[in-house]
Amino acid sequence: MKTIIVCTDFSREAENAVHYAASIAKENQYNLVLFNLQSVSIHALNAQASADFFYEQTLKNQKKLSDKANELNTIYSIETEFHLASGNFIEELNNCIKITNCDFIVMGMAEKTLEQRLLGNTVTKAIHRIKKPILIVPGHIEYTGVRKMLFAYDTHKCMSWSAMNDIYYFINEFNAEIEVFNVSESLEDFTEVIQDIDLNSGYDMDDIKYSFKMIQSMEVVKAIEEEVKLTNADLLTMIPYRYNLVESLFHRSKTAIMAYKNKVPLLSIPLNID
């Protein structure tokens, strides 16, 4: 049975993502796993709270997750479990991925704040460090199906077969059509898209509705936003590129930027080349 992990801290955005994931699970007959990383308030730490206090908090969190799992079982008629962890978010999420052998992860995205712009948050960290597809759901979006996917493709970043396999997996799961969209400052780059063997070789394309679109622009993020509106896409797909220290001084991940700015769910596909 296929499995979705949905991360929740019971915030409004996380609750919306949970119901979004549950709707996908019901439609595609997936199992659902609620992942929660329990945290202890700074006040409890400063007060040197007892072991009994932490044990009680764990029991409360387990009860909360159990109740939510039962609620989803009733509403959506899906198999729902939960995974409660404590510690480092990325390490514990990777551990949950290994235990459940999940197919992809769903996370909610809150409105961006000054702190998030400066330091990032768990979502932006996850898209660069988790080697599973991550579906990032804005807090105001409800699931109504995925009929049109927009894949913002960058010819200057390397592509891998595992990434393309993930993209084809989602096309087939949702029975969606896809537009491969490229924005470039140079007209010469367009030839690379058309001739890219990773995009148009090795797959049976007969059952897939797809199209290519290329435009020349200096404002990549703005062009992607406009194309999402123009095509009325239900899902934006991107492959994040992790810059090294020197590159990061001059560039910001466009996938991370779109995770904050996007008005539709964003599917982040890992390269998985290391």
Side-chain angles (χ1 to χ4, degrees):
M1 179 68 76
K2 298 175 182 178
T3 301
I4 304 173
I5 292 175
V6 57
C7 301
T8 180
D9 58 3
F10 298 100
S11 64
R12 181 182 65 83
E13 295 79 19
E15 282 291 287
N16 183 69
V18 164
H19 286 280
Y20 192 98
S23 297
I24 295 176
K26 179 178 181 179
E27 182 176 87
N28 297 282
Q29 297 183 323
Y30 278 56
N31 287 338
L32 193 66
V33 176
L34 302 173
F35 174 84
N36 175 256
L37 188 77
Q38 63 180 358
S39 57
V40 181
S41 72
I42 189 66
H43 303 294
L45 291 174
N46 289 338
Q48 297 182 334
S50 66
D52 288 341
F53 170 82
F54 293 114
Y55 179 68
E56 289 175 5
Q57 287 298 111
T58 299
L59 290 179
K60 288 180 181 178
N61 289 333
Q62 287 178 336
K63 178 66 164 55
K64 198 171 183 179
L65 285 167
S66 179
D67 289 345
K68 175 57 66 174
N70 290 332
E71 175 190 325
L72 296 172
N73 287 341
T74 301
I75 296 174
Y76 295 96
S77 300
I78 56 174
E79 197 68 35
T80 308
E81 302 174 359
F82 65 88
H83 182 98
L84 178 63
S86 60
N88 178 274
F89 176 79
I90 298 296
E91 291 177 2
E92 293 301 327
L93 182 54
N94 271 323
N95 183 45
C96 185
I97 290 168
K98 291 178 183 177
I99 293 172
T100 61
N101 192 30
C102 81
D103 294 270
F104 63 97
I105 300 153
V106 177
M107 302 180 73
M109 174 60 91
E111 294 285 337
K112 66 179 179 179
T113 64
L114 176 60
E115 180 184 11
Q116 288 174 339
R117 289 199 296 267
L118 294 174
L119 302 177
N121 65 5
T122 53
V123 173
T124 54
K125 290 174 184 175
I127 64 176
H128 290 294
R129 297 176 63 184
I130 298 296
K131 294 186 177 182
K132 283 285 185 180
I134 300 178
L135 180 56
I136 303 158
V137 183
H140 64 285
I141 296 292
E142 295 181 1
Y143 183 74
T144 57
V146 177
R147 293 168 294 277
K148 181 65 177 286
M149 295 170 58
L150 180 68
F151 174 33
Y153 175 63
D154 189 344
T155 58
H156 295 292
K157 306 298 184 291
C158 54
M159 180 68 72
S160 68
W161 283 108
S162 64
M164 288 309 304
N165 282 334
D166 285 334
I167 291 172
Y168 278 85
Y169 169 85
F170 281 96
I171 294 172
N172 289 320
E173 282 296 287
F174 292 118
N175 192 28
E177 64 176 285
I178 187 167
E179 176 184 303
V180 179
F181 181 65
N182 176 250
V183 186
S184 179
E185 299 175 10
S186 170
L187 289 173
E188 287 76 13
D189 292 333
F190 295 159
T191 304
E192 295 180 36
V193 178
I194 296 172
Q195 297 178 348
D196 194 319
I197 60 171
D198 287 330
L199 281 173
N200 53 33
S201 297
Y203 292 93
D204 181 2
M205 304 287 283
D206 292 340
D207 296 330
I208 296 175
K209 296 180 181 179
Y210 69 98
S211 60
F212 290 92
K213 183 173 182 179
M214 297 156 281
I215 68 169
Q216 185 176 18
S217 175
M218 299 291 287
E219 299 181 86
V220 176
V221 171
K222 183 178 180 180
I224 294 172
E225 287 181 306
E226 291 176 351
E227 191 66 14
V228 168
K229 294 178 183 177
L230 183 64
T231 60
N232 197 28
D234 302 297
L235 189 68
L236 172 65
T237 305
M238 298 181 74
I239 298 177
Y241 178 76
R242 190 171 184 178
Y243 294 104
N244 61 36
L245 180 60
V246 175
E247 290 173 325
S248 66
L249 298 175
F250 303 97
H251 302 279
R252 287 185 61 200
S253 166
K254 293 181 178 63
T255 308
I257 293 171
M258 290 307 300
Y260 285 126
K261 295 171 66 69
N262 205 26
K263 304 302 182 185
V264 298
L266 169 65
L267 177 64
S268 174
I269 301 288
L271 275 172
N272 290 348
I273 58 175
D274 53 0

Short mmCIF file of all heavy atoms in Angstrom, two decimals, residues 200-224:
data_model
loop_
_atom_site.label_atom_id
_atom_site.label_comp_id
_atom_site.label_asym_id
_atom_site.label_seq_id
_atom_site.Cartn_x
_atom_site.Cartn_y
_atom_site.Cartn_z
N ASN A 200 12.55 13.88 -23.13
CA ASN A 200 11.74 13.30 -24.20
C ASN A 200 12.24 11.94 -24.68
O ASN A 200 11.85 11.48 -25.74
CB ASN A 200 11.66 14.27 -25.40
CG ASN A 200 13.04 14.70 -25.88
OD1 ASN A 200 13.99 13.92 -25.80
ND2 ASN A 200 13.14 15.91 -26.37
N SER A 201 13.08 11.26 -23.89
CA SER A 201 13.56 9.94 -24.28
C SER A 201 13.38 8.95 -23.13
O SER A 201 13.44 9.33 -21.97
CB SER A 201 15.04 10.00 -24.68
OG SER A 201 15.23 10.83 -25.82
N GLY A 202 13.19 7.70 -23.49
CA GLY A 202 13.14 6.65 -22.48
C GLY A 202 11.78 6.45 -21.85
O GLY A 202 11.63 5.62 -20.97
N TYR A 203 10.78 7.21 -22.27
CA TYR A 203 9.44 7.07 -21.69
C TYR A 203 8.41 6.92 -22.80
O TYR A 203 8.56 7.46 -23.89
CB TYR A 203 9.09 8.30 -20.85
CG TYR A 203 9.91 8.44 -19.60
CD1 TYR A 203 11.07 9.20 -19.61
CD2 TYR A 203 9.55 7.79 -18.42
CE1 TYR A 203 11.85 9.32 -18.46
CE2 TYR A 203 10.31 7.91 -17.28
CZ TYR A 203 11.47 8.67 -17.30
OH TYR A 203 12.23 8.77 -16.18
N ASP A 204 7.37 6.20 -22.50
CA ASP A 204 6.24 6.08 -23.40
C ASP A 204 5.34 7.28 -23.18
O ASP A 204 4.64 7.38 -22.17
CB ASP A 204 5.49 4.79 -23.12
CG ASP A 204 4.30 4.60 -24.06
OD1 ASP A 204 4.10 5.46 -24.95
OD2 ASP A 204 3.58 3.60 -23.91
N MET A 205 5.37 8.22 -24.11
CA MET A 205 4.65 9.49 -23.95
C MET A 205 3.24 9.44 -24.52
O MET A 205 2.52 10.42 -24.44
CB MET A 205 5.43 10.62 -24.65
CG MET A 205 6.88 10.79 -24.18
SD MET A 205 6.96 11.51 -22.54
CE MET A 205 6.62 13.23 -22.92
N ASP A 206 2.85 8.29 -25.09
CA ASP A 206 1.57 8.22 -25.78
C ASP A 206 0.38 8.51 -24.87
O ASP A 206 -0.62 9.07 -25.30
CB ASP A 206 1.39 6.84 -26.43
CG ASP A 206 2.37 6.62 -27.57
OD1 ASP A 206 2.89 7.63 -28.09
OD2 ASP A 206 2.62 5.45 -27.92
N ASP A 207 0.50 8.11 -23.59
CA ASP A 207 -0.63 8.25 -22.66
C ASP A 207 -0.56 9.53 -21.84
O ASP A 207 -1.35 9.71 -20.92
CB ASP A 207 -0.70 7.04 -21.72
CG ASP A 207 -0.98 5.75 -22.48
OD1 ASP A 207 -1.65 5.83 -23.52
OD2 ASP A 207 -0.51 4.69 -22.04
N ILE A 208 0.38 10.40 -22.16
CA ILE A 208 0.58 11.62 -21.37
C ILE A 208 0.29 12.85 -22.22
O ILE A 208 0.81 13.00 -23.33
CB ILE A 208 2.02 11.70 -20.81
CG1 ILE A 208 2.26 10.55 -19.84
CG2 ILE A 208 2.27 13.04 -20.13
CD1 ILE A 208 3.69 10.46 -19.35
N LYS A 209 -0.55 13.73 -21.69
CA LYS A 209 -0.81 15.00 -22.37
C LYS A 209 0.23 16.02 -21.89
O LYS A 209 0.26 16.36 -20.71
CB LYS A 209 -2.21 15.50 -22.04
CG LYS A 209 -3.33 14.61 -22.55
CD LYS A 209 -4.69 15.18 -22.16
CE LYS A 209 -5.82 14.27 -22.64
NZ LYS A 209 -7.15 14.82 -22.23
N TYR A 210 1.07 16.46 -22.79
CA TYR A 210 2.13 17.38 -22.39
C TYR A 210 2.36 18.43 -23.47
O TYR A 210 1.99 18.26 -24.63
CB TYR A 210 3.44 16.62 -22.12
CG TYR A 210 4.09 16.03 -23.36
CD1 TYR A 210 5.13 16.69 -24.01
CD2 TYR A 210 3.66 14.81 -23.87
CE1 TYR A 210 5.71 16.15 -25.14
CE2 TYR A 210 4.23 14.27 -24.99
CZ TYR A 210 5.28 14.94 -25.63
OH TYR A 210 5.85 14.41 -26.75
N SER A 211 2.96 19.53 -23.04
CA SER A 211 3.30 20.60 -23.96
C SER A 211 4.53 21.30 -23.45
O SER A 211 4.89 21.20 -22.27
CB SER A 211 2.13 21.59 -24.10
OG SER A 211 1.82 22.17 -22.84
N PHE A 212 5.22 22.02 -24.34
CA PHE A 212 6.38 22.80 -23.98
C PHE A 212 6.09 24.28 -24.22
O PHE A 212 5.41 24.63 -25.19
CB PHE A 212 7.60 22.40 -24.82
CG PHE A 212 8.15 21.05 -24.49
CD1 PHE A 212 7.72 19.92 -25.18
CD2 PHE A 212 9.12 20.89 -23.52
CE1 PHE A 212 8.22 18.67 -24.89
CE2 PHE A 212 9.64 19.64 -23.23
CZ PHE A 212 9.19 18.53 -23.92
N LYS A 213 6.61 25.11 -23.34
CA LYS A 213 6.52 26.55 -23.55
C LYS A 213 7.80 27.20 -23.06
O LYS A 213 8.26 26.90 -21.96
CB LYS A 213 5.31 27.15 -22.82
CG LYS A 213 5.13 28.64 -23.08
CD LYS A 213 3.83 29.16 -22.48
CE LYS A 213 3.63 30.62 -22.77
NZ LYS A 213 2.34 31.12 -22.20
N MET A 214 8.34 28.07 -23.87
CA MET A 214 9.59 28.75 -23.52
C MET A 214 9.45 30.24 -23.75
O MET A 214 8.93 30.65 -24.79
CB MET A 214 10.74 28.19 -24.37
CG MET A 214 11.01 26.71 -24.13
SD MET A 214 11.82 25.89 -25.52
CE MET A 214 10.41 25.62 -26.61
N ILE A 215 9.86 31.03 -22.77
CA ILE A 215 9.83 32.47 -22.95
C ILE A 215 11.17 33.07 -22.51
O ILE A 215 11.88 32.48 -21.69
CB ILE A 215 8.68 33.13 -22.15
CG1 ILE A 215 8.92 33.03 -20.65
CG2 ILE A 215 7.34 32.54 -22.53
CD1 ILE A 215 7.97 33.89 -19.85
N GLN A 216 11.46 34.21 -23.07
CA GLN A 216 12.68 34.93 -22.70
C GLN A 216 12.32 36.02 -21.70
O GLN A 216 11.45 36.86 -21.96
CB GLN A 216 13.34 35.53 -23.94
CG GLN A 216 14.69 36.19 -23.65
CD GLN A 216 15.36 36.71 -24.92
OE1 GLN A 216 14.68 36.88 -25.95
NE2 GLN A 216 16.65 36.95 -24.86
N SER A 217 12.97 35.99 -20.54
CA SER A 217 12.68 36.98 -19.52
C SER A 217 13.84 37.06 -18.54
O SER A 217 14.54 36.07 -18.30
CB SER A 217 11.39 36.62 -18.76
OG SER A 217 11.17 37.51 -17.69
N MET A 218 14.03 38.23 -17.96
CA MET A 218 15.05 38.42 -16.93
C MET A 218 14.49 38.15 -15.54
O MET A 218 15.24 38.01 -14.58
CB MET A 218 15.58 39.87 -16.99
CG MET A 218 16.23 40.24 -18.31
SD MET A 218 17.79 39.38 -18.59
CE MET A 218 18.83 40.25 -17.41
N GLU A 219 13.16 38.05 -15.41
CA GLU A 219 12.52 37.86 -14.11
C GLU A 219 11.87 36.48 -14.07
O GLU A 219 10.70 36.31 -14.38
CB GLU A 219 11.47 38.94 -13.87
CG GLU A 219 12.05 40.36 -13.85
CD GLU A 219 10.99 41.39 -13.59
OE1 GLU A 219 10.71 41.67 -12.41
OE2 GLU A 219 10.44 41.93 -14.57
N VAL A 220 12.66 35.49 -13.65
CA VAL A 220 12.23 34.10 -13.70
C VAL A 220 11.04 33.85 -12.78
O VAL A 220 10.04 33.26 -13.19
CB VAL A 220 13.40 33.16 -13.35
CG1 VAL A 220 12.92 31.71 -13.30
CG2 VAL A 220 14.52 33.31 -14.36
N VAL A 221 11.15 34.27 -11.52
CA VAL A 221 10.09 34.01 -10.54
C VAL A 221 8.78 34.66 -10.97
O VAL A 221 7.71 34.03 -10.92
CB VAL A 221 10.50 34.50 -9.14
CG1 VAL A 221 9.32 34.44 -8.18
CG2 VAL A 221 11.65 33.66 -8.60
N LYS A 222 8.85 35.90 -11.44
CA LYS A 222 7.64 36.59 -11.89
C LYS A 222 7.02 35.87 -13.08
O LYS A 222 5.79 35.74 -13.18
CB LYS A 222 7.98 38.04 -12.26
CG LYS A 222 6.77 38.85 -12.67
CD LYS A 222 7.15 40.29 -12.97
CE LYS A 222 5.93 41.10 -13.40
NZ LYS A 222 6.29 42.52 -13.70
N ALA A 223 7.86 35.38 -14.00
CA ALA A 223 7.36 34.68 -15.18
C ALA A 223 6.66 33.39 -14.78
O ALA A 223 5.62 33.03 -15.35
CB ALA A 223 8.51 34.38 -16.13
N ILE A 224 7.20 32.68 -13.79
CA ILE A 224 6.56 31.44 -13.33
C ILE A 224 5.21 31.75 -12.69
O ILE A 224 4.22 31.07 -12.94
CB ILE A 224 7.48 30.70 -12.33
CG1 ILE A 224 8.75 30.20 -13.02
CG2 ILE A 224 6.73 29.51 -11.71
CD1 ILE A 224 9.78 29.63 -12.08
#
